[in-house]
Amino acid sequence: MIAVVQRVSESSVKIEGEVKGEIGAGLMVLLGIEDADDTEDIQWLSKKITNMRIFNDDDEVMNKSVQDVNGDILLISQFTLHASTKKGNRPSYIRAAKPDVAIPLYKKFIAQVEADFGKKIQTGEFGADMKVSLVNDGPVTIIIDSKDKK
């Protein structure tokens, strides 16, 4: 699994002009799932995201997690994170999991994040044409690959 984690002051996702999810201060997370991902990836990545200290403390040092600042999380599925650009100019998405594999893992990931985070998160809709808006705070953007955990 690959996650692009952005510290935001606000973020939202619209589907067909309707707001599906929105948050104030917190994290907007883009999530890419591949066939090789499993429960271990879900658990590790969820804990990493919910505990990552990328929010400022009183001394303006990034020393607090999204939980510490009582922030929110908006999670968006994005298969294009697994694009291969090695050959030619048209990305290949061969590594991205097909919906029959990805959707159950995406739902398990949402449940795991909510369990680790201790509250409901906002989400987009798997496979939908989504319009994502955000104000990146900092800017702070972190890329995490669960395959790099060891």
Side-chain angles (χ1 to χ4, degrees):
M1 289 184 160
I2 295 176
V4 176
V5 180
Q6 298 187 6
R7 186 178 78 182
V8 299
S9 55
E10 62 185 65
S11 185
S12 65
V13 59
K14 289 183 179 180
I15 301 171
E16 296 181 6
E18 299 286 325
V19 175
K20 167 74 167 94
E22 66 182 329
I23 62 169
L27 299 175
M28 196 283 294
V29 180
L30 302 173
L31 180 71
I33 300 169
E34 64 179 319
D35 286 329
D37 293 329
D38 59 21
T39 302
E40 184 180 326
D41 294 290
I42 290 170
Q43 293 170 343
W44 182 86
L45 188 56
S46 174
K47 291 212 182 309
K48 186 62 79 172
I49 290 169
T50 56
N51 292 296
M52 185 170 295
R53 298 182 329 189
I54 58 174
F55 290 86
N56 293 348
D57 62 17
D58 293 336
D59 295 322
E60 297 300 313
V61 175
M62 285 195 280
N63 203 28
K64 291 188 172 191
S65 72
V66 66
Q67 296 180 86
D68 296 333
V69 299
N70 197 29
D72 292 307
I73 296 175
L74 174 61
L75 177 70
I76 307 292
S77 63
Q78 187 171 353
F79 76 93
T80 60
L81 292 177
H82 285 289
S84 173
T85 58
K86 290 180 181 179
K87 294 182 181 177
N89 293 317
R90 182 171 185 225
S92 168
Y93 304 107
I94 194 92
R95 284 187 49 215
K98 304 292 183 265
D100 61 318
V101 171
I103 291 171
L105 290 173
Y106 177 65
K107 289 178 180 179
K108 286 179 184 178
F109 189 78
I110 292 168
Q112 185 68 55
V113 170
E114 288 179 342
D116 291 339
F117 191 43
K119 65 181 180 180
K120 186 167 176 45
I121 66 169
Q122 297 291 302
T123 66
E125 182 180 313
F126 190 95
D129 181 14
M130 297 176 274
K131 307 302 180 206
V132 180
S133 299
L134 65 106
V135 177
N136 192 317
D137 180 22
V140 175
T141 301
I142 310 288
I143 300 171
I144 309 169
D145 187 337
S146 66
K147 301 306 183 218
D148 292 337
K149 66 182 168 278
K150 295 179 183 179

